[in-house]
Amino acid sequence: VNGSVVVVDEAASNKELYRLRENEFFGEAALLSNELRPATVRALEECDLMAFDRESMRACIAGNPSVVPILLRFLRGRMIEHLVHTSRLFTTFETADRRALSRRFEFIEPTEGAPLIQQGALSPGLFVLLSGAADVIFRDKGNEYWLATLERGGVFGEMSLLNRVPAMASVSSVTPSFALM
């Protein structure tokens, strides 16, 4: 309602990501994605805040389904903003270049079990996992080998994309996720 807060990345020595002021909000990603958030919000001064808990969010969505695309559009922007400030993929670029590059990504919402990259095929793009998880599986002579589980911040598809060669492993979403491609 009034005052200001700072959003910091504690894993990166409390690096300031951005500041929020009157009439701006935070915490929406945790409400929508059911994941712990990698950032901490701290008051910069005395603040008056309004809280909107998980049950209130569910009731709002149930009574007003048209609110979902608005929330997802905002969530996409906030997740991309967080990504360009924290991912090593973007750290070598100046702020304006980071934002320009981030606008070229498509926001996707893989469902549980959705294939993202198929072993033996060219990757459709470079992926950055914003939330959720994805398994990397290598198949050889009828056997499957789990290689890794990627989580928030995971980047994949780059080897196939940059080298223009078929992907060496498949990647599938383990949970409902948000990603950039």
Side-chain angles (χ1 to χ4, degrees), residues 14-107:
N14 290 317
K15 176 184 177 187
E16 182 176 319
L17 301 176
Y18 40 88
R19 293 175 183 231
L20 302 171
R21 292 174 177 73
E22 186 175 309
N23 296 321
E24 294 184 290
F25 59 94
F26 57 91
E28 74 291 338
L31 285 175
L32 295 173
S33 70
N34 281 328
E35 289 190 353
L36 297 175
R37 302 309 305 156
T40 298
V41 179
R42 294 191 180 117
L44 291 170
E45 59 190 306
E46 189 171 311
C47 298
D48 290 316
L49 304 171
M50 289 191 332
F52 197 63
D53 63 24
R54 191 174 305 278
E55 287 307 312
S56 298
M57 177 65 79
R58 285 188 180 123
C60 177
I61 289 170
N64 306 287
S66 63
V67 102
V68 173
I70 296 165
L71 289 171
L72 288 176
R73 189 170 45 252
F74 179 82
L75 179 61
R76 173 193 182 275
R78 183 65 60 88
M79 290 177 130
I80 290 171
E81 183 74 15
H82 181 78
L83 176 74
V84 299
H85 281 88
T86 60
S87 174
R88 292 179 303 187
L89 182 65
F90 293 95
T91 56
T92 59
F93 297 100
E94 296 295 323
T95 302
D97 294 333
R98 289 181 194 185
R99 289 198 175 115
L101 184 57
S102 72
R103 284 191 290 272
R104 299 184 73 187
F105 282 89
E106 175 187 349
F107 183 75

